[in-house]
Structure formats: C-alpha cells, structure tokens
Amino acid sequence: MFSNALKSIQATNITGNYQISPNVTSTAGPWKIYNAKKKSTGKEYSVFVFDKKSLDAHSGGLSRSGAAAFKKVADEVVERLRKEASSLAKLRHPSVLELVEPVEDTRGGGLQFVTEPVTASLASLLQEKDDQERSGGGGRASRYVTEDANGTRRRRELEIDELEIQKGLLQISKALEFLHENAGLVHGNLTPDAILVNAKANWKISGLSFCSPPEPSTKPTSIQPISLSEVLQLDPRLPRTVQMNLDYTSPDFILDNNLTTSADMFSLGLLCVALYNSPHRSPLECNSSISSYKRHFQSSQGIPTANNNYLSSRPLPKELAAHVLPKLITRRPAQRMTAREFQQGEYFDNILISTIRFLDAFPAKTANEKQSFLRGLIKVLPSFPKSVMEKKVLPALIEELKDKELISLILHNVFKIISLLPSGKRAFGDKVRPSLKEIFVTNAKQGQEKDPARDAGLMIILEQLGVVTANCPGKEFKDDILPIIFTALESPTPTLVDAALRSLPTILPVLDFGTIKNELFPVIAAIFSKTNSLAIKVRGLQAFVTLCGGASDQDSDDGLDGFSTEKKKATSSALDKYTMQEKIVPLIKAIKTREPAVMMAALNVLKVIGKIADAEFVAMDVLPALWSMSLGPLLDLKQFQSFMELIRTLSRRVEDEQTKKLQELSGGGNGTTSATNDDFMSFGAIAGSSLEANGTSEDDFELLVKGKSSGGASGNPLDGGWDSGITSYPSVTSPGLKAGKTTPTPAFSWSTPSPSTIAPPANQFGAVKAQQPSFRTVTPDLGSFAALTPTSTQFSQPLQPNTTTTSPLQSSSSAASLSWGATTPASTTSNPPWSTSSTPAASQPPTSSAFGGMSLGQMQSSAGNQASRASAFSLPPPPAIGSGGGGLSAFSLAPPPVPGPQRPQQQQQSAFGGMGMGMGMGMGMGMGSMGTAGMGMGMSMGMGMMGIGQQQQQQQQQQHHQPPAQPQGQKSGLDKYASLL
C-alpha cells in the first residue's frame, strides 16, 4: 500500500512539473517520445514513456500457467527497460543521451523519464527516408513533422546525406570508445533504434537494455551483467522491440557465446552498410531467427564481404568499403578495429569531418588555435550541408560566445551561416538574437569605458545589419536589436558612432514612425549637439538627411572613408515636418564651426527640408541660415555657388507660392488691387498747403498784385510798399472775365477729380469752401509723372517790362501791359535778386523731378488750342494776341483801365476780390503733403493773399468815386516801380 502511494507521488513528479505534448514525436524501440516543456523555466525537453499495456496485448489466449509465466517475462522486460534508463543516469558523455529526470513508474505500471530534447531516432529517420524514396522523392531532405507541448506543429528538416552520416558515425564511435575504454561496458544491442538524434542534430547512444560488462572484465561497474543464453532465447509473445535484434548482432554472441567489446564494432559495421543500403536495413536479415542467422555464416555468399559489396543494393563510399568495413565486418574479433582506430580511419579524412571534430574538441584548444580555426571556418562553411550548419556548427559557435575575446571572429561566422541558410529567420530568432541581446545589452557594463573586444563585436553587428533586418521582424528588431544600436551610438569609440550613424538607411525601413521620432532621433540629436568631432558632425548631418527622406551623399570625398556596406535607400521621410522645422533647423543654426565639410553637409540637410517646410518658414528661417553659412570664409567658389543655387531655388519657391496665394486672395486677377485698398493712407489736406486755384481767375490775381483791392489782409508783409508814391494815380486793371466763363482748376494724374463747374461770383467764397476735398485716400501714381522739362518762368528769367497789344475785345486802349515773364535775350535790365538766369528755356538742360506732372497756375484755354508748356511750379507766358485765350497769364499786368466801357468789367472783377481769404485757405490746403515744394508754395500763397486783399480794396474805392482818367504821358505807379528795379 505504501509502495502504491509512493508510485502515485512519483508518477506526478514529471507530469506535474512538465507540460507534455499529447502527440508522439517519435519512437525508439519500445519507447514513445513526447515533446515537453518545463513549467518553471519553459525549456524544451523530451519525455520517454513505456506503456506496459503494449506487453499485455500479446498475452491473450494463454492458460493460467502460461499467463503467470508471461507475467514473469513481462516483469523482466520492465526491469530491463528500467535498467536502460538508470544506465543513462550513470553514463555521462557528449555522445550518450543526457538524462534530465530519472525513471519513474506510471500509474499503469509503465515507465517514463526525461531527457534532453530529441528530434527522432535513427530508425524513424531511416524509415521516413525509405517512405520518401518509395514515393519517388529519393534524395530529398526528410521533413519530420513534430508538435510542441503547446500544440504548435513544426517541420524539422533532417538530411541523411554523406556528411551527416560521417558526422553521426564519428559521434557513435566516440560513445563506443567511452563505453569500452572508460566505462568498461559492452552495448550489446547497437541498432538504429538505439541511436537518437537530438535537437542539435547530434547522434547519441541510448538503448542500454542489454548493456553489460565484457567477459572477462576487471573494471568495477554498477551495471549488472547479462546472460547471453537468456537474452538470446527470443519469446514470440513479446514485441521485437523489447528483445535483442539479431539483424545487428555479432556472431560472437550467437556462434561463440562470447561477450566482448569487439561485438559492438561488428554491429557498427552492419549499421554503416544499412545507412547506405536501400531500403535502409541490415545486410543480415534473419527475422529474429537464430537458425536463419547461423545459415548466413555457413556460406561465403551469405556473409557481407567486399566481394558482394557487403550485400548493399547501392554503391558504398570508396574509403568506407576499402578501408573501414573489411576491419569491422569480419568473423574474427581480433581482426576488428577498435572505436579509437575507427575514428582515425581514412573514411573521416576530409575537411568537413575534420572541422566537426575540431568543433567537438573546441573548448580544449588553445586561444591561438581557436582564432586560427575561426578565421578559416568562414571559407569552409558553404561546403557544409544546411542541416549540419544549422544544428551542429551554429549552436557550437553560439556556445563559445561567452569568450569575449572571440566575439568578433565568432559573429563573422554566425552571420555567414544565417545568410546561407534557407531557414535563416528561424535560426536567427531561436539562437542568435537572444544571445546578442544577452551579451551586448543585458550583461553589458553600465560604464562608458572602452572595451575593445565588445567594440569589435558591435562593429560586426553594425556591418551585418542587412542580414539582421532580413531575418528579424520589426517588433523583435525594436526590442532586441535597437538597444544594441543605441549601445553603439553612445559608445565612447568614434568609429562605432560613425558606423551606427551610417547604418540608418538600413534600419529605418524596419522601424515604425513613433520609434524613430521618440527613441532614435533624440539619441542622434544629442550626439550631434555634444560631439566635438567634425567627422561625427558630418555623419550626424548625413543622418538628418536620411531621417528627412533624402539620399545621403556618403560617396562624396569627405575624408571619412573606412566603413562601407550596402544599404537600403530611405525613399520617404522618416520624420514629420514639425520635427524638421522645430528640431533639426535649430540644431543646424547652432553650429559654430565654419568648416567646409560641415557647411556642405548642412546645405544638404536644408536642401531636403526646404522642399518640405512651409514657404514662410523657408523665408524666415532657412534662407537666413543659408545666407549666413554661404559667407563662410573657408568656402571655395564651387561650394559658394552651391549655396547660391539653393538660395535661388528656395527663393523662387517662396515667390511662386506667395504669388499664387495673393492671386487666389484677389479672386484670380492679375495681382493688382484697387485704389480703395489704400484708403487708410489718406489723412486729408492741411490748411494752407494747397496751391490749386480752386476757381480763382487770372483777373483776381492781377487785381491782387496791382493793389486795387481795399479788403486785403493787413498782415501782408507787402502791404503799403507798392501803395507809397502811387496813391494819386488810378489803379491798373486787367481785362475782366467774360460772363459765364469758368476757370479750369489745375488737375493732376493722381489727384481727386475737381468739380466741372464753379459757383457764381456772388457765392465765390462759399463755392471755394465747398470745393475742399473730403477726407479720403490719395495714392500718388509716381510712375505716371513725366520727365521734367525746364521752361521759362518768372523765377528763371529777368522781370522786364514788355509792351503787348491788348485785344480789341478787352479794351480800346493800346497801352502796353507789363509782363514779369521771360524777356527777350536783348533785354539789358539786370535781374532782381530773387530771379534766376536769363538763359533761354530752349538752351537749358532738361531736368527730372518727382513732381514733373504738376504746374502751378497752369491754365487751359476754353477753345483747347493753347496747350500749356509750363513745368512744375512754373507760370506760363502770356498768351499770344488773338489766340483766343480766355485770360491773361498769372504774373502779367494788363494796361491801365480807361473810363467808360471798362468800368463794368472792373466791377465784375471786384466780385472775385472777396475770395481773398478763401483763396488763401483753399490754396493752403491743396498740397500739404508735398514737402519738397514747401518754400515755393509759401511764397506764392503769401503773395496771393496780399494781392487779392489790395484788389478788393481798390474795387470798393472805384465803386464810390470814379477817378479821372490818367493821361497817357504821365507815369503810373508801376512804371515808377519798374524804374526802381
């Protein structure tokens, strides 16, 4: 009862600690093999299970005595199988199956134990290969479908080719050497079922049910010997799998009843033939019959020899048939070679097997031998079968990564294997990637001290990033490989930083936008801003180009050669526009050095950003930065021209986009806006600044300057100066204006149109006031001003009396009028101090003025045939007699009036005298904005106010009393004034 309880506890030990797959992976004799995972660690193992019910199935129909005898035999089988499992626990060798959990009893009376992960038994592989060859797929790799403990089904490629056979036989011979020479044991049943292939494609010995010490043996051992007589009595009631397989048994057991180690070498020879035979069976087939086995040795034809090709249906390798098999398959045990001699045979004398043997003994080699081997291995790898590379060479190399002095050499070979394997993704994900993370991230030192061995390994990884990205998905790359790249970027070794920056075009396609912006870019920006190396500055700028979506010009002669590898080209931007404008451009602006290499690298960055950034940002930030860098003193002509070309390109872009924007805002027009858009620039006129006539006629001005008005302003500085000495003489008057005739107001091309009519003289002052411009905008069209052509004016020629003939329509008197305009060249009167040269207008050189389109006092005749020839601020000469002009010139004096018909005209003109003050105000408000004409306008305005006031006073005196007509021979006041001049 206690024993049953103990068995129950023991049975739950494996099932409780391991998650076992429900499906059988393979079989090895009576054992069924299941994949399993340890619950605590998740590591993979294999569970061997023997079900006792497989024995009970053959006990049907037996009598009571027969059943009792069979039960005894079945118990002996179970104990023999228990011995097999317990023997594995006692024998530890790389070529012997490794036991993890000892054998346990199951509730059904069976057995189970846990071993290292096992792919299949050699018997299962050979059976699989036979099935493929029968189906017409001879020579193809065996695909063995397995299911993990979690239900995942996978295909495992198992190749039984020449090298795989050589490697396996070499490993089996090493296990036999261990059993024979060290353990002092004979295997006794070396068959394909006793050979297991583990997850690393290594062949390992198991099936130690018939293991026994040889006879005689002097070595102490805990393994109980067997009785050949008992084990050779085959029971037909038992499965063949629990009995000795006579097809691979040595004649020493059957014919000589001798238990020696040489018997295992005979079995090894039969196994070699079976590996090449088709189907893969032993050349000695006796169907578990000892008599049949003995008949084979009764004739030479039944014994495998070199004459009958060792009974193989296929040719055997020359070295195997000529040098190995004759010393294995022989009747006399003394003629057989030992396991050690087998390993040294010519059959294993080739470079691939020698490489495998060196790998097996790699830990025992010296440092120089290891380095020499790893340097030459990369040249031999393409000759290895894919399965051998993946399951034998690759795991052995990764196991040696713990030696940091060999990291770089080992990684060279590891990446070579990954690139050669068709299943490189699986091999890299299962074996390589976890090891790289453990070495360079998990176990990496936190300090920044230099580690040459680690740096060499990092450099190999950076050089092989193309292989890494091709065999690593994006999430795994971000979790395991990107931290390794960060380690390189933050390394104190500039070569590593340079290599990491140059690898960006390769790694960007694997990373997502968030990872690039939030994790990768900040690291690169920090390196760029902190480094003191110009080379790293340039590499950082080239990295910015790559991040912005440009093609980094790394093939240029920048003096940074020494690292080159094929890279993927980033075809699109990895960063957004905001990051480019707000992060990268400020970093470029902060560059202090003006080294040409750095400036040209910055130019490439701004060239890419200029295509993506907003036009306003380009104008306000990019272009000023380009101008600043372009003026660097170290740039040559070609480099400066490169800056200018980019500046012109970006400037055109800004201009085009701004033009298009304004055109869209103006409704698709030609880009011009109406004058009303500039109304905010008009402030109205300032009183006293205008020189416009505003309805004042020529007669009013003449009356003003002649002093005929009595209502002038007393504040005029010229009042009284002209009246002294001429008060006893009648005033000189000018012809009056015709009734109904209006005086045209001077007009400018940019001024507001004036009213076309003028109010009656009685309301002259009110009319002038009504004509004052309202507050509105006036935009001068400076482009419409014509060139200034000098003409003769009162200030450019001497003021001389000029005798003119009055029109018969104006007066019957033929008195001459005094003109202040230009005189004839023959005049000898000296110029007044305020006049200019007397050079004729035709001989003066032309000048230009911004106010060339304006003319003070310019009048147009009512008939339209008297064109004005006066320039800016000039008074035209008197109109010709009979020209049909409507009035006299501004600065001309008409002949003295005569009594009679002329008096009404003077009275009519007196109506204009009342506008003196209004005229002054109107003229003062006209041109207040013309600062350049201030002096001339002030003088003209003052004279105008004085003259109008005197004219009004004289007209009032004439209305009350009419003085007598002055004789023609008597001089007037103006004649005296002229004589004074």
Side-chain angles (χ1 to χ4, degrees):
M1 183 175 179
F2 175 79
S3 107
N4 292 334
L6 181 61
K7 289 181 180 179
S8 177
I9 295 174
Q10 290 176 343
T12 60
N13 187 23
I14 293 178
T15 56
N17 295 333
Y18 292 85
Q19 182 181 358
I20 304 175
S21 172
N23 299 318
V24 177
T25 300
S26 181
T27 59
W31 300 97
K32 293 180 180 179
I33 305 174
Y34 295 87
N35 289 334
K37 284 186 178 181
K38 194 169 185 177
K39 294 179 180 179
S40 59
T41 62
K43 293 185 64 176
E44 293 185 353
Y45 297 96
S46 292
V47 177
F48 284 68
V49 178
F50 169 71
D51 190 0
K52 192 176 180 181
K53 295 180 181 180
S54 63
L55 300 178
D56 297 339
H58 296 79
S59 62
L62 296 178
S63 61
R64 178 175 299 181
S65 60
F70 181 79
K71 186 178 183 303
K72 181 181 178 181
V73 173
D75 291 340
E76 292 178 355
V77 170
V78 173
E79 290 301 322
R80 194 182 299 126
L81 295 176
R82 189 188 302 275
K83 172 188 175 182
E84 175 181 347
S86 60
S87 298
L88 291 176
K90 300 174 182 178
L91 301 174
R92 293 291 181 177
H93 188 269
S95 296
V96 177
L97 185 65
E98 180 183 358
L99 184 70
V100 177
E101 297 284 350
V103 62
E104 296 178 355
D105 294 329
T106 62
R107 293 178 180 178
L111 302 173
Q112 64 181 5
F113 60 93
V114 181
T115 68
E116 61 178 303
V118 172
T119 300
S121 66
L122 182 60
S124 299
L125 294 179
L126 294 177
Q127 183 63 41
E128 179 76 13
K129 194 169 182 66
D130 289 338
D131 295 341
Q132 288 183 351
E133 292 176 353
R134 283 194 298 266
S135 63
R140 294 188 302 178
S142 174
R143 297 183 181 272
Y144 202 83
V145 180
T146 61
E147 185 171 351
D148 295 338
N150 55 6
T152 304
R153 297 179 62 85
R154 295 186 302 174
R155 288 184 176 272
R156 298 185 178 180
E157 296 182 359
L158 301 172
E159 298 179 0
I160 306 298
D161 54 12
E162 180 69 20
L163 181 63
E164 191 73 30
I165 293 173
Q166 290 180 344
K167 178 182 70 68
L169 291 175
L170 183 63
Q171 292 171 337
I172 296 301
S173 66
K174 290 181 179 180
L176 292 176
E177 179 186 1
F178 168 75
L179 290 177
H180 296 167
E181 298 182 4
N182 300 99
L185 298 173
V186 178
H187 189 279
N189 192 30
L190 187 61
T191 65
D193 281 320
I195 298 175
L196 297 172
V197 182
N198 68 357
K200 298 180 180 180
N202 294 326
W203 290 15
K204 298 200 172 185
I205 279 184
S206 181
L208 300 174
S209 300
F210 300 96
C211 178
S212 174
E215 294 177 356
S217 176
T218 58
K219 292 183 179 181
T221 180
S222 60
I223 304 297
Q224 296 295 325
I226 63 172
S227 173
L228 288 178
S229 60
E230 293 180 1
V231 298
L232 290 178
Q233 291 179 2
L234 303 182
D235 192 340
R237 297 173 298 177
L238 297 177
R240 291 185 180 182
T241 55
V242 298
Q243 304 183 69
M244 184 174 288
N245 190 348
L246 299 181
D247 293 347
Y248 291 91
T249 302
S250 169
D252 303 347
F253 288 178
I254 300 175
L255 301 180
D256 301 335
N257 197 22
N258 187 9
L259 189 61
T260 62
T261 56
S262 298
D264 289 338
M265 302 308 296
F266 188 92
S267 300
L268 181 61
L270 296 178
L271 180 64
C272 291
V273 177
L275 291 173
Y276 291 98
N277 196 7
S278 180
H280 298 83
R281 298 174 183 173
S282 171
L284 296 178
E285 292 186 88
C286 55
N287 295 320
S288 300
S289 173
I290 294 180
S291 60
S292 176
Y293 183 89
K294 292 179 178 180
R295 285 195 296 268
H296 278 285
F297 285 89
Q298 290 176 357
S299 64
S300 60
Q301 297 297 328
I303 301 175
T305 61
N307 296 329
N308 55 18
N309 195 28
Y310 297 95
L311 301 178
S312 174
S313 61
R314 287 183 178 177
L316 299 174
K318 182 179 179 180
E319 295 81 3
L320 180 65
H323 304 285
V324 177
L325 292 180
K327 297 181 181 181
L328 291 178
I329 305 178
T330 178
R331 178 67 179 84
R332 298 180 181 275
Q335 296 178 348
R336 299 170 193 158
M337 63 174 59
T338 63
R340 185 186 295 272
E341 293 173 347
F342 177 80
Q343 298 172 35
Q344 298 173 355
E346 296 182 7
Y347 176 62
F348 302 108
D349 188 12
N350 62 74
I351 186 64
L352 299 183
I353 292 299
S354 299
T355 302
I356 297 296
R357 297 173 69 173
F358 193 98
L359 273 177
D360 292 338
F362 195 83
K365 302 296 182 180
T366 64
N368 291 333
E369 289 175 339
K370 292 178 180 180
Q371 293 177 4
S372 300
F373 171 78
L374 292 173
R375 289 189 178 96
L377 177 62
I378 196 170
K379 301 177 182 179
V380 182
L381 286 175
S383 301
F384 277 97
K386 303 299 186 294
S387 61
V388 176
M389 282 195 298
E390 180 179 358
K391 298 182 178 181
K392 175 63 181 178
V393 181
L394 182 61
L397 293 176
I398 293 178
E399 185 69 21
E400 295 300 325
L401 281 174
K402 59 182 178 292
D403 187 354
K404 67 177 185 178
E405 299 297 331
L406 301 176
I407 287 179
S408 61
L409 295 174
I410 292 175
L411 289 179
H412 267 298
N413 292 277
V414 167
F415 285 112
K416 181 67 174 178
I417 293 174
I418 296 298
S419 63
L420 293 174
L421 290 177
S423 58
K425 290 185 177 181
R426 182 182 66 193
F428 184 83
D430 295 344
K431 301 179 177 65
V432 181
R433 178 167 49 82
S435 300
L436 295 180
K437 182 179 180 180
E438 180 180 1
I439 294 172
F440 296 103
V441 179
T442 305
N443 298 333
K445 295 181 180 180
Q446 300 299 326
Q448 290 295 322
E449 65 274 6
K450 292 185 178 181
D451 187 348
R454 186 200 64 170
D455 292 347
L458 284 174
M459 180 62 71
I460 300 303
I461 295 176
L462 295 175
E463 291 176 351
Q464 299 295 331
L465 278 178
V467 178
V468 174
T469 55
N471 295 279
C472 186
K475 185 179 184 303
E476 288 76 8
F477 186 93
K478 175 185 175 182
D479 296 339
D480 298 338
I481 304 301
L482 190 59
I484 299 177
I485 298 176
F486 287 158
T487 302
L489 286 171
E490 298 170 355
S491 171
T493 306
T495 306
L496 276 179
V497 179
D498 176 77
L501 291 175
R502 299 194 67 176
S503 66
L504 284 183
T506 305
I507 67 177
L508 289 183
V510 188
L511 301 176
D512 58 281
F513 171 76
T515 302
I516 296 174
K517 179 179 179 180
N518 301 324
E519 298 182 25
L520 180 60
F521 172 72
V523 175
I524 297 176
I527 293 172
F528 175 80
S529 59
K530 295 179 182 180
T531 183
N532 294 325
S533 171
L534 291 179
I536 300 302
K537 282 282 186 184
V538 174
R539 290 297 181 222
L541 290 169
Q542 292 175 351
F544 289 156
V545 172
T546 303
L547 290 172
C548 294
S552 180
D553 187 13
Q554 296 181 358
D555 296 331
S556 60
D557 186 13
D558 51 9
L560 300 178
D561 297 332
F563 177 78
S564 61
T565 181
E566 296 181 1
K567 302 179 179 64
K568 299 178 183 178
K569 297 298 182 181
T571 56
S572 60
S573 174
L575 295 177
D576 58 335
K577 182 168 62 176
Y578 172 82
T579 305
M580 296 181 196
Q581 296 182 173
E582 302 299 329
K583 303 293 183 180
I584 295 182
V585 173
L587 288 175
I588 295 177
K589 288 183 177 181
I591 297 176
K592 297 180 180 179
T593 179
R594 286 298 180 261
E595 189 68 23
V598 179
M599 294 295 96
M600 297 307 295
L603 173 69
N604 293 332
V605 179
L606 295 178
K607 181 184 297 184
V608 178
I609 295 178
K611 299 177 182 178
I612 303 174
D614 299 329
E616 181 179 357
F617 181 84
V618 172
M620 303 300 294
D621 291 87
V622 177
L623 285 175
L626 286 172
W627 274 112
S628 176
M629 289 186 291
S630 67
L631 301 179
L634 302 179
L635 296 179
D636 57 20
L637 177 59
K638 183 177 180 181
Q639 293 167 342
F640 175 75
Q641 291 175 346
S642 299
F643 274 95
M644 291 299 100
E645 180 181 358
L646 179 58
I647 290 173
R648 287 191 293 268
T649 301
L650 296 182
S651 299
R652 283 195 299 268
R653 181 199 164 196
V654 173
E655 179 184 359
D656 294 343
E657 293 191 11
Q658 185 68 11
T659 302
K660 182 179 178 181
K661 177 181 178 181
L662 295 177
Q663 288 177 347
E664 293 175 353
L665 292 176
S666 62
N670 56 1
T672 60
T673 57
S674 60
T676 58
N677 292 338
D678 295 332
D679 285 347
F680 67 91
M681 292 300 296
S682 176
F683 300 98
I686 298 178
S689 63
S690 175
L691 294 179
E692 294 183 0
N694 287 339
T696 304
S697 64
E698 297 178 4
D699 294 338
D700 296 331
F701 185 77
E702 292 177 4
L703 293 175
L704 175 67
V705 298
K706 291 177 182 179
K708 297 297 183 181
S709 176
S710 62
S714 62
N716 195 316
L718 297 181
D719 287 350
W722 288 5
D723 291 339
S724 59
I726 58 174
T727 55
S728 58
Y729 301 97
S731 301
V732 181
T733 60
S734 60
L737 297 176
K738 296 182 179 181
K741 184 176 180 180
T742 62
T743 303
T745 303
F748 302 95
S749 60
W750 47 268
S751 63
T752 304
S754 61
S756 57
T757 60
I758 300 177
N763 298 328
Q764 186 70 22
F765 185 82
V768 173
K769 185 175 182 180
Q771 292 173 9
Q772 293 181 0
S774 62
F775 186 83
R776 60 157 304 171
T777 61
V778 178
T779 303
D781 188 3
L782 301 182
S784 64
F785 294 152
L788 179 62
T789 302
T791 58
S792 297
T793 65
Q794 72 175 74
F795 300 107
S796 62
Q797 296 295 338
L799 185 63
Q800 297 294 336
N802 186 17
T803 303
T804 58
T805 306
T806 59
S807 173
L809 299 176
Q810 295 178 351
S811 175
S812 59
S813 176
S814 60
S817 64
L818 183 61
S819 175
W820 289 6
T823 60
T824 59
S827 175
T828 59
T829 306
S830 60
N831 294 333
W834 43 273
S835 65
T836 58
S837 174
S838 59
T839 307
S843 63
Q844 294 181 3
T847 60
S848 61
S849 172
F851 302 98
M854 297 185 292
S855 176
L856 181 63
Q858 179 177 353
M859 299 298 178
Q860 297 180 357
S861 63
S862 59
N865 57 354
Q866 180 71 23
S868 174
R869 293 171 295 178
S871 63
F873 298 101
S874 64
L875 297 177
I881 300 302
S883 61
L888 299 177
S889 174
F891 286 98
S892 63
L893 298 178
V898 294
Q902 194 67 18
R903 193 171 299 170
Q905 285 189 350
Q906 295 177 357
Q907 294 178 0
Q908 182 179 0
Q909 292 176 356
S910 67
F912 293 90
M915 63 173 294
M917 184 65 66
M919 182 66 180
M921 294 177 61
M923 294 175 65
M925 297 175 61
M927 310 232 350
S929 61
M930 301 296 183
T932 59
M935 184 66 70
M937 289 190 297
M939 183 180 294
S940 300
M941 182 176 64
M943 294 177 64
M945 294 175 63
M946 176 199 70
I948 293 175
Q950 291 180 355
Q951 184 177 3
Q952 291 178 353
Q953 184 178 1
Q954 293 176 4
Q955 288 178 356
Q956 291 176 1
Q957 293 176 359
Q958 290 175 4
Q959 291 178 0
H960 290 82
H961 59 275
Q962 195 66 242
Q966 184 178 359
Q968 293 182 359
Q970 189 177 359
K971 292 185 179 180
S972 65
L974 288 180
D975 292 337
K976 294 181 180 181
Y977 179 77
S979 64
L980 291 176
L981 298 177

